Amino acid sequence: MSARSPHADKVYRGEQLQGSRHIEPVTVALAQISPTPLDIAAHHAAVTGSQDGALACFVGTVRDHSPDAAGQVVRLEYVAHPDAPAVLASLATQVSTRHDGVTIAVSHRTGDLGVGEAAIVACAASAHRAAAFDACRDLVETVKAELPMWKKQVLADGSHSWVGAL
């Protein structure tokens, strides 16, 4: 049985030392479902480090209209499946494995949101802008397609419709 290096499991922002070679680990700084307003600055801080030269962030906000709504949208209500936190963490990890050298953070709101409020925040940081842009877009598209989250659109006349039921 050989002795392990004392640095074998020590993680340094974005890389893990194993023996004498460097390995890029899966780097997800934050993945959460939140009933409270999303903190964009916290996502930025969670992913950036001195090795990063690029940060790409996406903030999806509630808008006052929707192609499938019969009137003006005044608020949305997001409802998450009980497994949504674990699914979001898994999706973030999957995206991270597709983008070497990128650190990502993502959060999605639940509850009632008014027009202009952030429903999703996704950030990706990397040494180079192309990698950060690509990872951020992949993260947003993956979460939008696969997170078990439902959206109730409430219209100005009081009517509503459900969108995105999986």
Side-chain angles (χ1 to χ4, degrees), residues 28-141:
V28 177
L30 176 68
Q32 69 178 4
I33 303 294
S34 177
T36 60
L38 303 179
D39 185 344
I40 298 163
H43 288 73
H44 173 262
V47 299
T48 56
S50 61
Q51 75 282 355
D52 298 313
L55 170 70
C57 288
F58 172 84
V59 180
T61 60
V62 177
R63 62 181 183 240
D64 67 359
H65 64 281
S66 178
D68 56 351
Q72 181 181 9
V73 175
V74 294
R75 69 180 176 85
L76 298 179
E77 178 183 343
Y78 282 97
V79 178
H81 185 278
D83 292 337
V87 171
L88 184 61
S90 176
L91 294 173
T93 298
Q94 290 171 32
V95 170
S96 182
T97 62
R98 294 193 292 260
H99 301 277
D100 290 336
V102 177
T103 303
I104 62 174
V106 61
S107 295
H108 201 296
R109 265 297 292 278
T110 57
D112 290 328
L113 286 77
V115 171
E117 288 188 70
I120 183 174
V121 174
C123 292
S126 179
H128 304 286
R129 69 181 174 272
F133 278 129
D134 291 347
C136 189
R137 182 175 185 127
D138 187 12
L139 181 60
V140 171
E141 298 299 340

Side-chain angles (χ1 to χ4, degrees), residues 133-152:
F133 278 129
D134 291 347
C136 189
R137 182 175 185 127
D138 187 12
L139 181 60
V140 171
E141 298 299 340
T142 299
V143 169
K144 184 167 175 61
E146 298 183 38
L147 184 66
M149 179 79 66
W150 299 274
K151 175 173 68 173
K152 179 181 175 181

Side-chain angles (χ1 to χ4, degrees), residues 4-28 51 100-103:
R4 279 178 70 132
S5 163
H7 303 290
D9 297 318
K10 196 161 195 170
V11 175
Y12 297 92
R13 187 119 178 107
E15 51 180 46
Q16 181 176 6
L17 294 175
Q18 188 172 48
S20 61
R21 58 189 192 116
H22 294 273
I23 297 174
E24 290 291 327
V26 173
T27 310
V28 177
Q51 75 282 355
D100 290 336
V102 177
T103 303

